[in-house]
Amino acid sequence: MNLIDRISAQFEDNMRTTLEALELLAAPIAGAVELITASLLDNGKVLVCGGSGCAGDARRFAAQLVNGFELERPSLAALALSADTSTLAPLTGEPDAASMFARQIHAFGHPGDILITLSTGADSARIEQAIHAAHERDMHVIALTSGKPGRIAECLGPADIHISPPADRRARIQELHLLTLHCLCDGIDCLLLGVED
């Protein structure tokens, strides 16, 4: 096994997938930037959730909204629903893992807020329940998923945004999710601060 060739193949696959995704995702990402920015300017907040490996990306994105991305600016209202371990399981009875995000949305979500969901798959009971809870709160949803259609996409309403990378490999999906989150941070900062370049 030639490790250099294997590493090169990973880089090349990433570049191909990223360029293919650019054509498909630029418009929905721009729409998501505008939706999030409008909510924040109207005193709304961003709730972010991700299951399993996506939980870390959800926490990081929320932190970048609160603490800043690449430009100095005031803190933005954002909360990662996977960050507070004390709220992730009920205190009594059997834990209901599928409702752990939905419960927090019912507690913290308000009309006009934004829910961002992260899942490298197309089906996730936690994410589906979170989307339903957000709709009950009159929130908009931005769902980052895999490239395959599934139940998450079926939960979305006409005012929601679906960002679905054209990739089958989990690693490529995660890489495109991270790039999307960076584009969201950059776009929000540009709209809020009036940055042109």
Side-chain angles (χ1 to χ4, degrees), residues 83-129:
D84 183 0
T85 55
S86 64
T87 61
L88 294 181
L91 294 175
T92 58
E94 291 296 316
D96 181 6
S99 68
M100 67 174 165
F101 297 140
R103 286 179 173 272
Q104 294 179 77
I105 292 164
H106 284 129
F108 301 121
H110 292 95
D113 287 347
I114 304 293
L115 172 67
I116 298 178
T117 67
L118 301 166
S119 175
T120 55
D123 302 318
S124 165
R126 289 180 192 170
I127 299 298
E128 292 160 34
Q129 286 196 27

Side-chain angles (χ1 to χ4, degrees), residues 41-69:
L41 288 172
D42 196 32
N43 292 317
K45 63 185 166 296
V46 179
L47 304 180
V48 193
C49 65
S52 305
C54 296
D57 289 337
R59 289 191 296 272
R60 186 168 181 262
F61 178 68
Q64 288 170 328
L65 291 181
V66 172
N67 299 320
F69 179 56

